[in-house]
């Protein structure tokens, strides 16, 4: 429940505040232009990194290996791409960070730990 509050109330309110602040300091046109530029750059990066993750998943599957790291990269790229769909600077920065391979490398162990923890509790079940 706390995640829904954060997702639907805190994030949009914060984004709106940042957009209003930016608009009052650099101008409305410049703010809109900056949002459009970050969206274009993010779309390009999401496509490039998404295709790379898909290629890695296919390669590992063809070699008979489970696509663990490649699938995680794909999840991070998907999340980054989704964040870039939302207008605003905070979600754009978060989305762009998830598209950077070095950042994903740092975040993967954190996500693996979370998944393991949920698996031990029985919250996540892996079916073969």
């Amino acid at each position: 429940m706390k995640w829904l509050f954060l997702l639907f109330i805190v994030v949009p309110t914060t984004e709106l505040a940042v957009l209003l602040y930016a608009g009052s300091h650099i101008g409305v046109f410049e703010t809109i232009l900056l949002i459009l530029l970050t969206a274009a750059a993010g779309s390009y990066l999401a496509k490039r990194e998404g295709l790379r993750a898909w290629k890695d998943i296919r390669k590992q599957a063809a070699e008979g290996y489970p696509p663990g790291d490649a699938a995680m990269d794909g999840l991070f790229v998907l999340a980054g791409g989704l964040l870039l769909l939302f207008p605003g600077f905070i979600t754009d920065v978060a989305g762009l960070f998830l598209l950077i391979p070095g950042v994903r490398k740092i975040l993967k162990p954190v996500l693996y730990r979370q998944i393991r923890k949920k698996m031990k509790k029985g919250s996540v079940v892996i079916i073969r």
Side-chain angles (χ1 to χ4, degrees):
M1 192 67 167
K2 64 182 175 183
W3 291 107
L4 290 177
F5 177 76
L6 182 70
L7 185 65
F8 292 115
I9 304 297
V10 175
V11 171
T13 303
T14 308
E15 287 285 12
L16 184 59
V18 170
L19 287 172
L20 290 171
Y21 181 81
S24 69
H25 280 62
I26 64 172
V28 174
F29 177 75
E30 290 82 0
T31 302
I32 292 171
L33 184 64
L34 196 54
I35 290 170
L36 293 175
L37 287 174
T38 58
S43 296
Y44 168 76
L45 281 173
K47 180 180 178 182
R48 188 184 80 190
E49 293 301 315
L51 289 173
R52 182 181 294 161
W54 180 249
K55 185 179 118 187
D56 290 345
I57 289 171
R58 290 182 54 151
K59 180 182 174 195
Q60 287 181 347
E63 293 173 356
Y65 296 109
D69 277 350
M72 284 293 181
D73 278 336
L75 286 175
F76 282 122
V77 169
L78 176 65
L82 288 174
L83 286 171
L84 288 167
L85 289 176
F86 297 110
F89 297 123
I90 298 168
T91 52
D92 283 351
V93 168
L96 288 172
F97 272 127
L98 289 177
L99 297 179
I100 298 170
V103 173
R104 292 195 309 258
K105 187 176 180 177
I106 293 169
L107 292 176
K108 272 189 242 180
V110 175
L111 186 58
Y112 279 131
R113 269 195 306 276
Q114 289 295 94
I115 291 171
R116 278 190 207 103
K117 198 184 305 183
K118 289 190 179 285
M119 287 173 69
K120 284 181 182 178
K121 287 182 182 178
S123 303
V124 174
V125 179
I126 306 297
I127 301 172
R128 292 184 186 211

